[in-house]
Amino acid sequence: MTLGITALGSGSRGNSFVVHSPEGNILIDAGFSRKELIKRMEHTGIDPASIAALLLTHEHEDHSKGCRVFCDQMKIPACMTFGTREYLQKKQDEKKIAKLPSSIEVFNPGTPFEIVGLKITPFAVQHDAVDPVGFVIEHGSCRIGFASDLGAVNSLAKLRLTDCDMLVLESNYDQDMLRSSDRQYYLKKRIMGRHGHLNNVDAMEALPTLLSEKTKLLYLVHISSECNCYELVRKLGTETLENIKRNDILFKVVEQDTPIQTVWLKELHGDCKQLDLFA
Ligand SMILES: [Zn+2]
Ligand SMILES: [Zn+2]
């Protein structure tokens, strides 16, 4: 059994990841234009025609920007929660701007479904969107946990994201940098709330619980360009892994404009797995 992940980019100007199974690929979020998505896929050696479906975490533009055009051009469905579909439909009706692709599949948080041999379990997260989710994606005994926009790692998120072979988690902002930024008060309050974004301290505090002996890869994502910096998150993540003696984990900070080539997780025998870098 194998499972792979490619980070096309992450941050407030766009988020997209490709998850690979031996039977095909899926796109998680389409936060870039169709043209940019295709450029980033080609840069990482992914044939855009290999994408079987798009999974949306929520309706925010940095996750849904290329949804309609990419899905319609590739003739693939966009899979989303009922609330996300309703919201995009409402925006489409109000603004007379097409937002939804012609093929939509609605999923329910907590109910697993299957695409290209991947078992996908969406779970509700705390974020200021209509019906936002994270995902657990499994192929055989290989598992990816994915949560890119969440205000808090609550008990459900802990349950879903614990014990994954690969973990993708938000580490959005540094509290001091956000406080001293010239963002408006209401925006600061929104970001810092339990339905906003996960800060560096909360992300680092969650890691010792979420990472298990089977974890091989950690990506920290959705780093704020104004209220955080890649070097700081890299330093904090490295220190956290050192403290729990887990420097063996492949750890990367996913940047806005630098895609990371595919990393494959290969099952060796039984539950023993190995990362295959850039294969
Ligand atoms: Zn969001
Ligand atoms: Zn976002």
Side-chain angles (χ1 to χ4, degrees):
M1 298 295 178
T2 57
L3 190 60
I5 187 162
T6 313
L8 297 181
S10 180
S12 50
R13 285 183 288 110
N15 295 274
S16 282
F17 293 79
V18 177
V19 173
H20 310 258
S21 86
E23 291 111 276
N25 301 328
I26 54 169
L27 184 63
I28 302 185
D29 285 336
F32 302 101
S33 67
R34 176 202 63 89
K35 196 174 157 201
E36 185 64 24
L37 281 170
I38 288 174
K39 191 175 126 196
R40 287 174 186 239
M41 282 180 199
E42 284 169 353
H43 179 76
T44 47
I46 297 167
D47 177 3
S50 70
I51 306 290
L54 163 67
L55 307 185
L56 275 191
T57 55
H58 62 299
E59 72 276 12
H60 289 160
E61 186 76 3
D62 56 320
H63 301 260
S64 66
K65 184 177 184 179
C67 169
R68 182 185 69 81
V69 180
F70 183 82
C71 288
D72 281 349
Q73 191 191 5
M74 296 299 154
K75 297 187 172 54
I76 59 167
C79 310
M80 61 190 82
T81 59
F82 182 78
T84 304
R85 189 190 68 177
E86 290 295 286
Y87 180 90
L88 292 173
Q89 182 72 55
K90 199 167 141 243
K91 285 285 152 208
Q92 182 165 294
D93 297 344
E94 277 172 12
K95 298 194 170 176
K96 309 263 181 279
I97 301 170
K99 289 263 181 198
L100 287 167
S102 49
S103 173
I104 295 167
E105 306 272 349
V106 169
F107 57 71
N108 292 312
T111 306
F113 56 96
E114 207 177 296
I115 303 173
V116 291
L118 296 169
K119 182 186 168 196
I120 298 152
T121 309
F123 62 95
V125 293
Q126 291 176 215
H127 183 54
D128 55 357
V130 183
D131 200 4
V133 292
F135 295 107
V136 173
I137 301 172
E138 294 165 284
H139 192 263
S141 68
C142 301
R143 183 190 302 165
I144 295 176
F146 187 97
S148 78
D149 292 47
L150 72 174
V153 181
N154 62 14
S155 50
L156 177 62
K158 260 188 203 134
L159 185 73
R160 295 299 189 205
L161 298 174
T162 300
D163 225 17
C164 293
D165 300 281
M166 295 171 156
L167 176 66
V168 179
L169 183 71
E170 170 167 55
S171 189
N172 185 268
Y173 66 95
D174 172 77
Q175 285 159 301
D176 292 336
M177 285 170 82
L178 178 62
R179 273 191 211 102
S180 58
S181 72
D182 47 14
R183 291 189 174 186
Q184 288 175 295
Y185 175 70
Y186 83 93
L187 203 56
K188 289 182 185 177
K189 216 173 138 196
R190 200 208 96 189
I191 295 169
M192 291 175 111
R194 285 185 64 79
H195 286 78
H197 287 280
L198 202 63
N199 67 51
N200 291 345
V201 171
D202 288 347
M204 299 310 148
E205 278 181 7
L207 288 179
T209 311
L210 301 183
L211 302 175
S212 77
E213 52 187 38
K214 65 189 286 205
T215 312
K216 300 277 188 290
L217 174 141
L218 167 67
Y219 281 172
L220 292 177
V221 305
H222 217 304
I223 316 298
S224 166
S225 56
E226 285 173 39
C227 304
N228 210 350
C229 78
Y230 298 136
E231 275 315 307
L232 176 62
V233 181
R234 260 191 281 277
K235 180 174 163 284
L236 293 172
T238 304
E239 282 171 4
T240 304
L241 293 177
E242 264 165 21
N243 287 341
I244 56 169
K245 300 192 171 28
R246 288 307 313 272
N247 299 91
D248 57 305
I249 291 175
L250 175 74
F251 161 54
K252 282 186 189 294
V253 172
V254 179
E255 301 188 7
Q256 183 73 82
D257 292 319
T258 314
I260 301 175
Q261 300 285 330
T262 311
V263 177
W264 284 92
L265 183 75
K266 294 195 172 167
E267 199 173 77
L268 296 174
H269 19 75
D271 216 22
C272 176
K273 301 181 185 88
Q274 170 183 291
L275 284 183
D276 193 355
L277 297 180
F278 316 138

